[in-house]
Amino acid sequence: MSIRTETGRGWGRLLGRSLAAGAVAAALGLAAPAMAQNDKMTPIATPAQPNAIVLGTGPLPGASVQESWHSQYGSVFARNVTVATLTPFLPDPAKATGAAVIVAPGGGFRTLSMDNEGWGLAKALNDKGVAAFVLKYRLNQTPADLDAFAESMARMFADVARARRPPDQDPAVTLAPQIADARAAFALVRSRAKEWRVDPGRVGMIGFSAGAMLTMATALHGQDAKPAFIGNIYGPLGAMKPPADAPPLFVALAADDPLFGNTGYGLIDSWRTAGRPVEFHLFEKGGHGFGMYPKRTTSTGWYDSFARWLDMHGYLKAAKAQ
């Protein structure tokens, strides 16, 4: 399902703006719930990930800083991921529906919100009988020291504030390592579909912020990935030309999102104009990065809406015998 972006250069420009803005979000804590007392980044030991499977995409070219983790906002984050992994979360076989979701956390392609936008969602999907696979994709390199990391993000924020317009960027090129990781994730899930009780034709993808950008790029440029459905949770919503067989799309965004709340909804119009299924939830409040955090805003209900949407499309019903 690979096409050239006639999104055109418009989406390339939005990508450039979003890559920078996503990094700013990670730096300034825009993903924070109402818990400012936990906003300090604190180094932690790399959590045990016994079920993580190394994907065959190799080490990040030219990487010199190795993976590290920190806590913030009551969640945990990975940085400087140089080797991509996929962690399966499988539902009780008695209620497995055969549907599966590749989950792509966000963080400006510089960090990954592994709990709030990864493991937490995976466990919730398991409760619905859906298999989930959290993708820890390779990231752009950042300073190993946390203080230096924060300073680098502050500098980037200043650069974004001064820039009139970022240069055009082709997602197929700019996100090539991450798209390769996503393609490998789809290939792995399908290769072990029988073992994991997954229907190879019912594997979708959902992403948050930068992960939403990766999800859209995978749908457009992922070639053999071909997600059955996709979810864009507070990612950019710039117009793009979807392929003729574009998958059903679920979108959730808060109107007060400081990154994408005032950039228009061209993506929704693109899917509708192409006659492809799309559902869009615009919440009055929620900010950026609400994910699975419980907040006093209706944005917290996005997951229930997503589950109902999956049910409407038949993904919460048991798959037919393989």
Side-chain angles (χ1 to χ4, degrees):
M1 206 156 47
S2 176
I3 66 168
R4 291 182 62 84
T5 53
E6 293 185 49
T7 52
R9 298 177 177 257
W11 197 66
R13 285 194 295 271
L14 184 58
L15 172 66
R17 187 179 303 116
S18 301
L19 285 169
V24 171
L28 300 185
L30 296 178
M35 50 174 69
Q37 68 272 21
N38 293 327
D39 64 354
K40 180 176 175 58
M41 289 184 284
T42 303
I44 62 172
T46 299
Q49 302 163 77
N51 298 323
I53 301 169
V54 174
L55 294 171
T57 51
L60 183 71
S64 59
V65 183
Q66 296 306 301
E67 182 177 319
S68 63
W69 290 63
H70 65 273
S71 64
Q72 190 179 25
Y73 312 128
S75 187
V76 297
F77 297 78
R79 288 195 302 118
N80 291 313
V81 175
T82 60
V83 176
T85 67
L86 190 71
T87 300
F89 287 77
L90 303 178
D92 182 339
K95 63 179 182 181
T97 70
V101 184
I102 306 293
V103 181
F109 296 102
R110 287 159 176 79
T111 185
L112 293 175
S113 181
M114 294 298 295
D115 196 357
N116 179 48
E117 298 173 351
W119 304 331
L121 174 61
K123 294 171 184 175
L125 287 167
N126 284 178
D127 288 342
K128 299 291 186 181
V130 177
F133 300 86
V134 178
L135 176 61
K136 189 174 73 175
Y137 51 89
R138 292 172 291 174
L139 297 174
N140 297 336
Q141 291 266 281
T142 60
D145 179 76
L146 271 182
D147 289 338
F149 168 65
E151 290 174 6
S152 72
M153 297 300 99
R155 286 195 299 272
M156 179 168 290
F157 177 76
D159 290 342
V160 171
R162 286 194 297 265
R164 292 185 177 180
R165 192 184 84 179
D168 289 355
Q169 299 187 46
D170 181 353
V173 175
T174 306
L175 303 182
Q178 293 79 20
I179 293 173
D181 295 341
R183 290 181 61 193
F186 275 94
L188 176 62
V189 171
R190 288 174 176 143
S191 71
R192 299 179 63 174
K194 186 174 182 180
E195 171 190 351
W196 288 334
R197 298 175 183 267
V198 166
D199 181 339
R202 304 174 80 206
V203 184
M205 184 172 183
I206 185 171
F208 300 81
S209 194
M213 295 165 60
L214 175 56
T215 297
M216 299 307 303
T218 300
L220 294 172
H221 306 287
Q223 300 177 34
D224 52 353
K226 298 185 181 301
F229 56 88
I230 52 178
N232 179 326
I233 312 302
Y234 45 80
L237 302 184
M240 59 177 65
K241 184 176 180 180
D245 60 348
L249 169 64
F250 179 92
V251 177
L253 179 73
D256 64 347
D257 187 311
L259 301 183
F260 309 124
N262 294 301
T263 57
Y265 314 116
L267 178 64
I268 312 305
D269 294 335
S270 297
W271 245 247
R272 295 190 67 193
T273 298
R276 302 306 298 153
V278 58
E279 179 156 332
F280 177 34
H281 293 259
L282 181 65
F283 300 100
E284 179 184 349
K285 292 184 180 297
H288 188 81
F290 45 83
M292 300 300 287
Y293 287 128
K295 299 183 71 174
R296 288 187 169 183
T297 59
T298 54
S299 61
T300 297
W302 80 268
Y303 172 71
D304 291 334
S305 296
F306 177 62
R308 286 194 294 271
W309 181 77
L310 289 177
D311 191 28
M312 181 179 72
H313 281 276
Y315 291 111
L316 299 190
K317 299 176 178 64
K320 296 179 181 179
Q322 299 291 301

